[in-house]
Amino acid sequence: MVCCVEDGSSQRARSKELVDMIAKQILADEREQKDGPAVSIRSSLPDIVEAVAETMDRSYVAVFVPVKTETCIQRLQGSNVKANVRIAECAIHHFPSDKDVLSMEMLTALKDFHCSGDPSAPYYAALALMSLQQKFGTIPTVHAIGAAGKVVVDNILRLRKEGQAGQAKKQTEPALRPGIPPAAAPPRGAAAVRKEEASAAQPSVAAASEEGPKISEVVIIDRRVDLFSVLCSQFTYQALIDVAYGIRRNTIDISSAAWAKSRSSSSSLVRLSPDDPFYQDIRDLRIDRLGPLLQDKAKAIQQTYSEKDNVKSANEMAEYIKKFKTAQSAHPLLEVHINLAHDLNEKIQSEEYRQLLKLEDEITAQSTSSQSCLDAVQAIMDDQKPFHEALRLLCLHSLVNNGIKKQQLDPLKSVFLQSYGFAFQEALENMERAGLLKYQQGKSGWGSIKRQFNLFVEDGMTDDVSYAYSGYAPLSVRLVQMTRSQPKGWLAVKDALSLLHGPAQELQQPGKEDAASPVVLVCFLGGVTYGEIAALRRLSEVEEGRRRLERIPGSRGGGGLWTDGLDLPVASDRPIYTGYKERKR
């Protein structure tokens, strides 16, 4: 029996359950083997053979992804079955969710590190980066910010020293011990010879790394450093779809939509494939600019259908059939996008969501009194609107103002629990540990952060990374931008970086940067939003392709990133916090 155990930080509880299930199955098999096959005198010969075969010795293999953990090994030992299991590791660190996005699928990395003090997520991130460096060469420049980023860098340095020490030990060990004759080489078959010839014909990884590193820079960002971008409203099409329906592995469930009931397809699942050229063109667009593209696509399909009357020869018919099949396959997905855009546009134009966006703008601009904003948040709780709205705005107010006064926060937490239930008690405590909610301590530094990092820009600047948030430039993207926009990188903005949570550091490793087409990895420890992904793509365009930005989030991007990452109770509906007009701050 072969069993795969994913033991990342987000799957830890399920891994323990799976290990316990393996132990239970082994013990059951041992009891069955001891009791003997269940056969009778009247049993036929085939039945007896099958029963005896079922009680024969079985072998068990447990494969841990990406590495084995001591916790699971101890659970096997506690069940007294470890000797029966062969343990293996499968170092799969990244799962591609797009052409430029790799996910580590660690959904609770933020909670594990900042709430529970578990350093597993940064350790796995360090292993993943070391694995990439083994394949593509040493990364010359490493930027890291935040407590989790520092742990990643420390682990990278430690793993490199351990690897160098292991290599040095192998080189110094004698080839043969005194008095022991050399063993004869095992006979080689034809397959082994062909494998050696093929490997000799291909360049090795070491030889490839000697040509120059394929990755020139990595920027490691602790999600705790920039929680603003998680809580602010996003305006891209893909981000709005995720907030409204929830994107899971590039798939959405539209069963809750009224327009989906009239669809001819029986499945309520729709795949938003990153390989679809049309979806690539529209996913990062603002919702208010999506209509013309959808109309043009619909006209092109209709024109393809109408061309059948002009077909005369056999060759023209063959060409038309190819175009017709392409248009026919694109038609259902275009219909879905049209309905999605119409549904999202209706929701974001409602007065209720406009009021939520207005309150968000007042909080980030600090244009009204703190008590007035908190009264508006309490009104949301009293009306028992979706809890995501109340928590998002309450946490945003706490971040902007460096906390909330004790005499204001305690009553609000009591009102929230009374409105939504005491199942959220642990969630509120996790938010306090993660820094989302806290009592006010000193003066707010939000004004200085906005000014130093130029977080809010003028309306209408579509070529700026702020387009994805309608005027707000994600702090995380500004950090990536500053590694090149400043003459000395982060060293030139030490005072600005000191305003953020956690230390910032730069590590130079042996290696020469590829000046032709540098590839930059942006590693988010705790997840990334779709708005930030769109902003990073826009940054690559603004820099005119001088840097190719690849993203490695700890978990999937999405509007529910902060709630999923803190294990909040599941809501029956997903609210939309957005608008479509340019925001003035």
Side-chain angles (χ1 to χ4, degrees):
M1 180 177 72
V2 179
C3 189
C4 181
V5 183
E6 296 183 9
D7 206 72
S9 53
S10 61
Q11 289 87 10
R12 187 167 295 106
R14 284 180 291 173
S15 298
K16 293 178 181 178
E17 294 176 1
L18 188 55
V19 169
D20 292 340
M21 184 200 73
I22 295 173
K24 185 177 180 181
Q25 182 64 43
I26 293 175
L27 294 174
D29 291 344
E30 288 182 347
R31 285 194 298 269
E32 182 180 352
Q33 186 177 4
K34 188 179 296 184
D35 296 339
V39 296
S40 62
I41 300 176
R42 298 181 180 180
S43 299
S44 62
L45 182 60
D47 293 339
I48 295 175
V49 172
E50 182 179 358
V52 172
E54 289 180 354
T55 59
M56 293 177 65
D57 291 340
R58 295 184 174 92
S59 60
Y60 304 90
V61 180
V63 183
F64 288 83
V65 180
V67 295
K68 62 184 178 183
T69 60
E70 191 62 29
T71 303
C72 292
I73 302 301
Q74 289 178 357
R75 292 183 84 89
L76 291 174
Q77 288 178 339
S79 302
N80 201 25
V81 295
K82 181 178 179 297
N84 304 66
V85 182
R86 185 164 65 89
I87 296 172
E89 295 179 341
C90 184
I92 300 178
H93 299 285
H94 300 119
F95 300 87
S97 59
D98 208 326
K99 293 180 179 179
D100 56 354
V101 180
L102 299 172
S103 175
M104 294 188 66
E105 294 298 320
M106 296 188 295
L107 302 182
T108 58
L110 178 66
K111 170 180 172 291
D112 289 337
F113 185 79
H114 290 286
C115 300
S116 305
D118 184 355
S120 297
Y123 173 70
Y124 289 137
L127 283 179
L129 290 174
M130 291 299 292
S131 175
L132 288 176
Q133 291 184 93
Q134 289 176 358
K135 293 179 175 65
F136 303 109
T138 303
I139 302 174
T141 306
V142 179
H143 291 92
I145 188 167
K150 183 179 184 304
V151 175
V152 173
V153 173
D154 292 343
N155 277 303
I156 288 176
L157 295 174
R158 181 177 61 83
L159 291 170
R160 175 167 288 109
K161 288 181 180 178
E162 291 177 355
Q164 292 174 350
Q167 279 187 343
K169 185 177 180 181
K170 288 181 180 179
Q171 293 175 359
T172 55
E173 283 183 353
L176 294 173
R177 292 184 180 180
I180 300 180
R188 297 185 303 162
V193 173
R194 287 195 299 268
K195 185 176 180 181
E196 287 185 2
E197 292 175 353
S199 61
Q202 296 178 354
S204 64
V205 174
S209 63
E210 289 177 359
E211 298 174 0
K214 304 299 185 295
I215 303 171
S216 61
E217 182 183 355
V218 59
V219 183
I220 305 169
I221 300 175
D222 183 355
R223 184 76 272 175
R224 175 65 180 84
V225 172
D226 179 21
L227 292 170
F228 308 104
S229 302
V230 180
L231 300 176
C232 287
S233 297
Q234 305 166 56
F235 288 79
T236 62
Y237 179 51
Q238 187 177 28
L240 291 177
I241 292 176
D242 179 71
V243 173
Y245 297 95
I247 300 176
R248 297 292 185 274
R249 295 177 177 85
N250 295 327
T251 303
I252 60 173
D253 186 355
I254 59 175
S255 58
S256 60
W259 54 268
K261 298 177 182 178
S262 58
R263 294 180 71 231
S264 57
S265 176
S266 59
S267 175
S268 63
L269 298 179
V270 175
R271 176 164 172 76
L272 304 174
S273 174
D275 297 325
D276 180 7
F278 181 64
Y279 181 61
Q280 286 183 15
D281 293 338
I282 65 175
R283 62 185 176 185
D284 293 333
L285 291 178
R286 290 268 299 277
I287 187 68
D288 54 335
R289 301 184 180 182
L290 191 61
L293 280 179
L294 294 176
Q295 292 178 2
D296 293 343
K297 185 68 173 179
K299 289 179 182 178
I301 292 177
Q302 191 62 37
Q303 183 178 359
T304 301
Y305 291 157
S306 61
E307 288 178 0
K308 65 179 180 180
D309 299 331
N310 301 326
V311 176
K312 297 179 180 179
S313 64
N315 291 334
E316 291 179 353
M317 177 60 70
E319 291 295 326
Y320 173 74
I321 289 176
K322 293 180 181 178
K323 293 175 63 177
F324 177 80
K325 289 183 177 180
T326 303
Q328 191 178 34
S329 61
H331 196 159
L333 192 56
L334 175 63
E335 182 182 354
V336 169
H337 285 304
I338 291 174
N339 286 316
L340 281 173
H342 178 72
D343 188 26
L344 295 173
N345 202 42
E346 278 189 348
K347 291 178 179 178
I348 65 178
Q349 292 187 36
S350 67
E351 183 62 25
E352 182 178 357
Y353 296 123
R354 289 176 182 270
Q355 291 299 323
L356 290 174
L357 183 61
K358 180 182 177 181
L359 177 57
E360 178 186 327
D361 291 342
E362 291 175 352
I363 292 173
T364 54
Q366 296 178 313
S367 57
T368 58
S369 65
S370 176
Q371 187 59 51
S372 176
C373 294
L374 293 177
D375 289 342
V377 174
Q378 183 173 344
I380 296 174
M381 299 178 187
D382 292 335
D383 294 340
Q384 292 188 339
K385 294 179 181 178
F387 72 91
H388 297 80
E389 298 179 3
L391 281 181
R392 183 182 71 92
L393 294 171
L394 182 63
C395 292
L396 184 61
H397 187 280
S398 175
L399 288 173
V400 167
N401 295 279
N402 195 27
I404 303 174
K405 294 180 180 179
K406 181 177 176 62
Q407 60 267 30
Q408 294 174 322
L409 182 56
D410 287 343
L412 282 171
K413 290 195 295 186
S414 299
V415 171
F416 182 85
L417 294 176
Q418 290 172 7
S419 298
Y420 300 102
F422 286 89
F424 286 90
Q425 179 65 49
E426 183 180 357
L428 291 177
E429 294 176 357
N430 286 334
M431 287 182 171
E432 292 180 13
R433 297 189 188 101
L436 285 161
L437 276 180
K438 64 178 182 179
Y439 296 120
Q440 196 170 57
Q441 299 174 351
K443 186 180 178 181
S444 170
W446 173 241
S448 300
I449 293 174
K450 287 196 298 183
R451 184 176 61 259
Q452 293 282 354
F453 292 95
N454 191 25
L455 296 186
F456 292 97
V457 300
E458 296 180 3
D459 296 344
M461 294 185 63
T462 57
D463 59 341
D464 190 77
V465 297
S466 61
Y467 92 100
Y469 285 79
S470 187
Y472 165 71
L475 175 58
S476 58
V477 181
R478 285 291 193 231
L479 288 170
V480 177
Q481 189 175 15
M482 283 181 169
T483 61
R484 286 301 174 92
S485 64
Q486 298 296 325
K488 296 182 179 180
W490 282 4
L491 295 176
V493 289
K494 285 184 177 180
D495 294 339
L497 294 175
S498 65
L499 298 171
L500 305 180
H501 185 275
Q505 59 187 128
E506 180 178 329
L507 173 65
Q508 296 294 335
Q509 302 187 106
K512 187 178 180 182
E513 180 180 325
D514 185 3
S517 57
V519 176
V520 180
L521 292 181
V522 185
C523 181
F524 290 85
L525 300 173
V528 64
T529 67
Y530 286 112
E532 289 172 305
I533 292 176
L536 285 170
R537 288 174 178 148
R538 178 59 58 87
L539 176 61
S540 183
E541 296 174 3
V542 169
E543 293 182 347
E544 299 179 350
R546 291 190 295 271
R547 291 193 297 173
R548 199 176 81 194
L549 302 172
E550 307 286 342
R551 288 141 288 272
I552 306 182
S555 60
R556 63 169 184 83
L561 169 67
W562 66 288
T563 53
D564 295 344
L566 292 172
D567 281 348
L568 294 190
V570 179
S572 58
D573 57 348
R574 297 177 64 88
I576 293 189
Y577 330 111
T578 185
Y580 71 100
K581 289 187 175 180
E582 293 289 348
R583 299 193 283 180
K584 297 181 180 181
R585 291 182 173 87

